[in-house]
Amino acid sequence: MNASSLVKPCTRQRVLEAAKSLCYIPNKTARVFKSGKSHILGLVISTQHISELVLNAGFQARFKALTAKAHNEGYNMLIITSTDAEPNSYFEVIKNQVADGFIILSPSINESLTSLLEEAGIPYVFNMKYSNNPEDSYYISSDDVEGGYMAAKYLLDLNHTDIRFILGIVKGTIMPFNEDRVLGFKKALDEYGIAFKPEMIVTIPGQMEESYNLIHQLFQTQKPSALMISNETTTVAALNYFYDYGYRIPQDVSVIGFGPSEFFRHHRPNLTNVSYDITWSSDKLVDLLLQRIEGRPVALERPKKPELIIRGSTARYVQPSVLAVKEH
Amino acid sequence: MNASSLVKPCTRQRVLEAAKSLCYIPNKTARVFKSGKSHILGLVISTQHISELVLNAGFQARFKALTAKAHNEGYNMLIITSTDAEPNSYFEVIKNQVADGFIILSPSINESLTSLLEEAGIPYVFNMKYSNNPEDSYYISSDDVEGGYMAAKYLLDLNHTDIRFILGIVKGTIMPFNEDRVLGFKKALDEYGIAFKPEMIVTIPGQMEESYNLIHQLFQTQKPSALMISNETTTVAALNYFYDYGYRIPQDVSVIGFGPSEFFRHHRPNLTNVSYDITWSSDKLVDLLLQRIEGRPVALERPKKPELIIRGSTARYVQPSVLAVKEH
DNA sequence: CTGTTAGCGCTTTCAG
DNA sequence: CTGAAAGCGCTAACAG
């Protein structure tokens, strides 16, 4: 039945007919058991995280890209949910799943998880850089220093100096990729001779309501002329706030988003954004995992530079007084 | 190791210690093989469909609800992608997967698929009503006649008579749930003594660009005062069109969406929408599948009535001439 | 080219 | 309560 070349065609024919008449369906589980390959890639995520993330354009783009790539490689994606986002609980669910390898989406830095997985010989990759340990190299990163730099430089070129960089935090911590973006942000300020001030960095938990309220708070006490926003949900929350309170984009505030271009293009107003090639990085991530599964030597990928897509949410900074004069 | 009560505690202790010192991890595949239970639910979808759907708020809500419910029942979701959305190709991928049962998201009406699955004894459910055959009862439906009715009635109460009902089509066909909504739409028109005209129904493929262009076309030749839009992507496309072309919502056009309330609440303008309880129906769908998997008698669920959430995108119809007079 | 058999790692049963 | 053994359905190896 498995198209072996050792079988005479007429015999195969007879077998196939018998199979058909008996409604025989090979037992897939036994095949997986025997062959040791399930052709399943596990996507590990905490229940809380998935319920927040699924509404996030970045996650949707990643999910789509991973699923498509896995399909092309003959794999399907198993969504593995862990009740807690703790290393031990992740390890527990991982070792109880039938999958050839695991893609771990973790909101916490999990060095103890990597050692558990290594010890157990389970192939895994992380979807981004979670750890600052150079040994933990099983992830595909983007060039986030560059991303933060190019957004800030563009705003500085437009004469903005009173910029806020809004970062999502997870359990009170700034993620490594956001730290990199801040590095790029500071580098640009430095080049333009603008002093970095701590209040330029605003941390916000990534949910819609919290983001909305914190943006509201921010604009009650301060009037920055430009915002860089590091996650999609907060970007939507900020735009909703501006809509509700009559701020015009980009006349009153310039906004730069970070994330998949498609999303920002379909948004109104059209957003200028730092665009990462999610398809590319997802493909590379699956390639990396397959290399590990098959025991092939792992080829390290250089991060791909993001791209600044300029749309309608950013404009040259004009001093309010000048504007007021013009209007009268 | 499986906490059998037949084992003396001290023996168990010794076994556990030995396991630990040898870094023993039970082989999950063998367990699945032996027990015949993978605790995996397959979500079957075509590659094309998933890449469109994943950007759609309705899919995200459903995916989230299914994953959460499966998790609560001790299952994980396997995303099974089929290259073609044909019954045979669906069946092919289904029978090659390790899963205890399957949730089928199919854009086509697939009566031949159900018979293949029945014959093979594979437990399955459909995510919605795909077939008009009363025997195909393995799905959880919503009360779509009521949904179409309540949206239309609300607009009629606001004096709108020039209404368009915009329906997504798949391969040129209106899906059964949309046919039901049209039934409700017509019922409301009937009650208010308004004659149904064929041009009131506008069919549009659900993608963003096509939707945008077709809405554009529609408004170049006609000026309906109210829109009911049956899918989220088209709703976003229509709102983007109105934004781009300076139509004010709800002063110039009233808009009612269909789908998850959360999405429309976070949208600007806030949309009046017919809200379906996706969490409820996803829970019921998983329950139904688990009943079939476990061979328990299948309890049929009555569809739950949708709810009309009134927000800012609908207003009383005012004759343009009256408005023009007021303005001068 | 065909038919038979060992054995994957687990769970369950059964004898002691 | 413990240790031994059968067997799940398949694939691969081997003898004929």
Side-chain angles (χ1 to χ4, degrees):
Chain A
M1 291 203 66
N2 297 335
S4 161
S5 60
L6 306 173
V7 180
K8 232 195 295 186
C10 73
T11 314
R12 186 196 325 287
Q13 190 60 33
R14 277 173 49 220
V15 171
L16 256 29
E17 270 163 26
K20 186 148 201 181
S21 75
L22 295 166
C23 282
Y24 168 76
I25 292 181
N27 180 312
K28 179 64 181 162
T29 313
R31 280 188 167 169
V32 168
F33 172 53
K34 176 72 187 175
S35 71
K37 306 225 76 249
S38 62
H39 287 273
I40 290 175
L41 301 181
L43 189 74
V44 192
I45 187 165
S46 73
T47 47
Q48 197 211 329
H49 202 205
I50 197 172
S51 97
E52 293 164 17
L53 267 189
V54 81
L55 302 169
N56 182 306
F59 177 77
Q60 293 152 24
R62 167 125 285 154
F63 181 74
K64 173 177 163 174
L66 288 174
T67 310
K69 172 67 174 177
H71 179 87
N72 290 340
E73 300 290 336
Y75 285 79
N76 284 301
M77 300 285 308
L78 176 66
I79 313 301
I80 302 170
T81 42
S82 159
T83 307
D84 304 301
E86 298 307 319
N88 282 322
S89 123
Y90 265 45
F91 184 64
E92 209 57 37
V93 295
I94 287 173
K95 75 181 170 62
N96 279 313
Q97 283 312 135
V98 176
D100 296 337
F102 298 86
I103 297 169
I104 299 165
L105 306 186
S106 161
S108 351
I109 297 164
N110 269 326
E111 308 199 347
S112 74
L113 179 57
T114 60
S115 62
L116 284 168
L117 292 168
E118 290 290 352
E119 216 167 275
I122 297 173
Y124 67 89
V125 294
F126 283 92
N127 76 315
M128 56 169 74
K129 187 182 172 189
Y130 283 114
S131 151
N132 286 313
N133 180 353
E135 295 236 325
D136 297 336
S137 54
Y138 300 119
Y139 64 87
I140 302 293
S141 69
S142 38
D143 189 340
D144 288 299
V145 177
E146 181 67 19
Y149 173 79
M150 66 205 310
K153 180 175 158 51
Y154 181 64
L155 290 173
L156 291 162
D157 279 337
L158 292 174
N159 282 344
H160 291 277
T161 54
D162 196 12
I163 306 172
R164 294 290 175 280
F165 194 0
I166 299 184
L167 305 171
I169 46 171
V170 177
K171 297 185 188 166
T173 316
I174 297 176
M175 302 291 286
F177 70 92
N178 268 336
E179 283 175 354
D180 282 356
R181 288 177 183 170
V182 171
L183 246 42
F185 176 69
K186 288 180 177 173
K187 185 179 146 205
L189 287 178
D190 211 44
E191 280 183 14
Y192 282 70
I194 312 276
F196 170 78
K197 281 170 259 160
E199 66 260 31
M200 287 178 164
I201 304 296
V202 180
T203 57
I204 285 185
Q207 280 80 272
M208 190 64 78
E209 269 82 6
E210 270 171 314
S211 293
Y212 187 94
N213 294 335
L214 284 164
I215 294 283
H216 185 29
Q217 261 179 43
L218 175 67
F219 274 78
Q220 279 191 316
T221 56
Q222 304 169 35
K223 293 278 175 267
S225 69
L227 254 40
M228 293 162 48
I229 308 181
S230 78
N231 77 69
E232 295 87 355
T233 305
T234 303
T235 308
V236 172
L239 293 174
N240 286 353
Y241 169 76
F242 294 139
Y243 180 96
D244 295 344
Y245 284 79
Y247 287 76
R248 296 162 307 162
I249 311 289
Q251 296 93 325
D252 301 326
V253 198
S254 284
V255 179
I256 296 190
F258 285 74
S261 205
E262 195 174 351
F263 170 70
F264 293 114
R265 179 163 53 93
H266 290 313
H267 214 276
R268 293 298 184 274
N270 266 200
L271 248 80
T272 297
N273 79 300
V274 178
S275 169
Y276 293 89
D277 191 339
I278 305 268
T279 304
W280 178 86
S281 65
S282 301
D283 283 5
K284 292 301 169 192
L285 191 61
V286 171
D287 283 337
L288 182 61
L289 182 54
L290 293 180
Q291 282 164 12
R292 299 201 68 197
I293 289 171
E294 290 159 16
R296 284 183 279 145
V298 166
L300 286 174
E301 277 293 334
R302 314 198 107 273
K304 193 174 174 182
K305 281 207 189 307
E307 208 181 331
L308 183 71
I309 313 278
I310 294 162
R311 298 202 190 84
S313 67
T314 39
R316 180 163 293 277
Y317 175 66
V318 182
Q319 279 200 311
S321 58
V322 176
L323 209 73
V325 169
K326 267 195 197 158
E327 273 174 11
H328 292 108
Chain B
M1 291 203 70
N2 297 334
S4 160
S5 58
L6 305 175
V7 181
K8 232 194 298 185
C10 73
T11 313
R12 188 195 326 285
Q13 190 59 31
R14 277 171 52 219
V15 171
L16 256 28
E17 269 164 25
K20 186 147 200 182
S21 75
L22 295 165
C23 282
Y24 168 76
I25 292 180
N27 179 314
K28 180 64 182 170
T29 314
R31 281 189 167 168
V32 168
F33 170 53
K34 176 69 188 180
S35 70
K37 306 226 73 247
S38 62
H39 287 274
I40 290 175
L41 301 181
L43 189 74
V44 193
I45 186 164
S46 74
T47 48
Q48 197 211 328
H49 201 206
I50 196 172
S51 99
E52 293 165 15
L53 266 189
V54 81
L55 302 170
N56 183 308
F59 177 77
Q60 294 152 21
R62 165 127 286 155
F63 180 75
K64 172 177 162 174
L66 287 174
T67 308
K69 170 70 173 175
H71 179 87
N72 289 339
E73 301 290 336
Y75 285 78
N76 284 300
M77 299 284 310
L78 177 66
I79 314 300
I80 302 170
T81 42
S82 160
T83 307
D84 304 301
E86 298 308 320
N88 282 322
S89 128
Y90 264 47
F91 185 64
E92 209 56 38
V93 295
I94 287 172
K95 74 181 170 62
N96 279 311
Q97 283 312 134
V98 177
D100 297 335
F102 297 86
I103 297 169
I104 300 165
L105 306 187
S106 162
S108 351
I109 297 165
N110 268 326
E111 307 200 347
S112 75
L113 179 57
T114 60
S115 61
L116 283 168
L117 292 168
E118 290 289 352
E119 217 168 275
I122 296 174
Y124 67 89
V125 294
F126 283 92
N127 75 316
M128 56 168 74
K129 187 181 172 190
Y130 282 114
S131 151
N132 287 314
N133 180 351
E135 295 236 327
D136 296 337
S137 55
Y138 300 119
Y139 63 88
I140 302 292
S141 68
S142 39
D143 189 341
D144 288 299
V145 176
E146 180 67 18
Y149 173 78
M150 67 206 308
K153 179 173 159 50
Y154 181 65
L155 290 173
L156 291 162
D157 279 336
L158 292 174
N159 281 345
H160 291 276
T161 52
D162 196 10
I163 305 171
R164 294 290 175 281
F165 194 1
I166 300 185
L167 304 172
I169 47 171
V170 177
K171 296 183 186 167
T173 317
I174 297 177
M175 302 291 287
F177 70 91
N178 267 336
E179 285 175 353
D180 282 355
R181 288 178 183 170
V182 171
L183 248 42
F185 175 70
K186 287 181 176 170
K187 186 179 144 206
L189 287 177
D190 211 46
E191 280 183 12
Y192 283 70
I194 312 277
F196 171 78
K197 282 171 258 159
E199 67 260 30
M200 286 177 165
I201 304 296
V202 181
T203 57
I204 286 186
Q207 280 79 272
M208 189 66 77
E209 270 81 6
E210 269 171 315
S211 293
Y212 186 95
N213 293 335
L214 284 164
I215 294 283
H216 185 29
Q217 261 181 45
L218 175 68
F219 275 79
Q220 279 191 315
T221 55
Q222 303 169 35
K223 293 277 176 263
S225 70
L227 253 41
M228 293 163 48
I229 308 180
S230 78
N231 77 69
E232 295 87 355
T233 305
T234 303
T235 307
V236 172
L239 292 174
N240 285 354
Y241 170 76
F242 294 140
Y243 179 96
D244 294 345
Y245 285 78
Y247 287 77
R248 296 164 305 163
I249 311 291
Q251 296 92 327
D252 301 326
V253 197
S254 284
V255 178
I256 296 189
F258 285 75
S261 204
E262 195 174 352
F263 170 69
F264 292 115
R265 180 162 54 94
H266 291 312
H267 214 279
R268 294 295 183 277
N270 265 201
L271 249 82
T272 297
N273 80 300
V274 178
S275 169
Y276 292 90
D277 191 339
I278 306 267
T279 304
W280 178 87
S281 65
S282 301
D283 283 4
K284 292 300 169 194
L285 191 61
V286 170
D287 283 337
L288 182 61
L289 182 54
L290 293 181
Q291 283 164 10
R292 298 200 68 196
I293 288 172
E294 291 159 16
R296 283 183 280 145
V298 166
L300 286 174
E301 277 293 333
R302 315 196 108 275
K304 191 173 172 179
K305 280 205 190 308
E307 206 181 331
L308 182 71
I309 312 278
I310 294 163
R311 297 202 190 84
S313 68
T314 41
R316 182 162 291 279
Y317 174 66
V318 181
Q319 279 201 314
S321 59
V322 175
L323 209 69
V325 169
K326 268 197 197 159
E327 273 175 13
H328 291 108

